[in-house]
Amino acid sequence: MKVAIGCDHGGYCLKEACIRALQELSLEYVDFGTFSEESVDYPDYAEKVCKAIRNGEAEQGILLCGTGIGIGIAANKFKGIRCAHITDLFCAEMAKLHNNANVISMGGRITSPDDAYAFVKKFFTTEFAGGRHQKRVDKITAIEEKE
Ligand code: RB5
């Protein structure tokens, strides 16, 4: 399983902690940048990560900006992407368990690197529960088909 990771300047401070968590889980990753705190536009990095998932280069993704909000909004514009904005450990677990999110977004101005590390570990070690939750996720997909 490969994880695509992308951030803007506001999320850059979390990237190293997220990559360390992925490495400790023995998950492969591909880093789409950005690679410094120089100002960039977060939709560009959401696009790189979501396109990599849609074309099969990666299966899941991590997106980081100042709040995790803008980059998550951009990600959810892509068909097949279910991006969950994560601010605590419970949501890191539920995003996978109930929502089968395939991308998480977090914010470097609201979440510490230690917390981001813990959220990544929780999300990527949780399995989707399926069952009644599969039906609900299918309804999300059906909405996309109607658009
Ligand atoms: C960039 O200043 C900031 O707006 C961005 O990182 C993010 O927080 C947007 O949601």
Side-chain angles (χ1 to χ4, degrees), residues 85-110:
H85 181 231
I86 303 300
T87 55
D88 61 48
L89 209 51
F90 179 69
C91 288
E93 182 178 7
M94 298 306 283
K96 181 56 78 182
L97 190 72
H98 283 189
N99 309 116
N100 201 18
N102 51 10
V103 179
I104 54 173
S105 65
M106 296 182 285
R109 295 175 186 153
I110 58 167

Side-chain angles (χ1 to χ4, degrees), residues 37-74:
E37 289 185 340
E38 192 177 322
S39 184
V40 293
D41 298 329
Y42 59 81
D44 297 336
Y45 295 87
E47 184 171 0
K48 289 174 198 284
V49 164
C50 294
K51 282 189 169 167
I53 295 171
R54 283 184 50 86
N55 73 22
E57 190 182 344
E59 285 76 43
Q60 304 201 54
I62 298 173
L63 290 170
L64 311 164
C65 68
T67 57
I69 295 171
I71 207 159
I73 291 172

Side-chain angles (χ1 to χ4, degrees), residues 75-140:
N76 279 314
K77 298 295 179 191
F78 290 85
K79 207 169 181 179
I81 299 297
R82 291 180 300 282
C83 178
H85 181 231
I86 303 300
T87 55
D88 61 48
L89 209 51
F90 179 69
C91 288
E93 182 178 7
M94 298 306 283
K96 181 56 78 182
L97 190 72
H98 283 189
N99 309 116
N100 201 18
N102 51 10
V103 179
I104 54 173
S105 65
M106 296 182 285
R109 295 175 186 153
I110 58 167
T111 292
S112 70
D114 284 352
D115 283 347
Y117 167 89
F119 300 164
V120 169
K121 282 249 167 133
K122 178 61 78 178
F123 179 77
F124 287 102
T125 55
T126 301
E127 296 284 329
F128 178 47
R132 68 185 188 281
H133 301 291
Q134 182 65 62
K135 183 184 74 177
R136 293 162 185 165
V137 171
D138 288 345
K139 287 191 173 189
I140 295 173

Side-chain angles (χ1 to χ4, degrees), residues 7-17 37 64 107-109 111 113:
C7 66
D8 76 354
H9 53 288
Y12 179 71
C13 58
L14 299 182
K15 191 162 71 169
E16 191 185 307
E37 289 185 340
L64 311 164
R109 295 175 186 153
T111 292

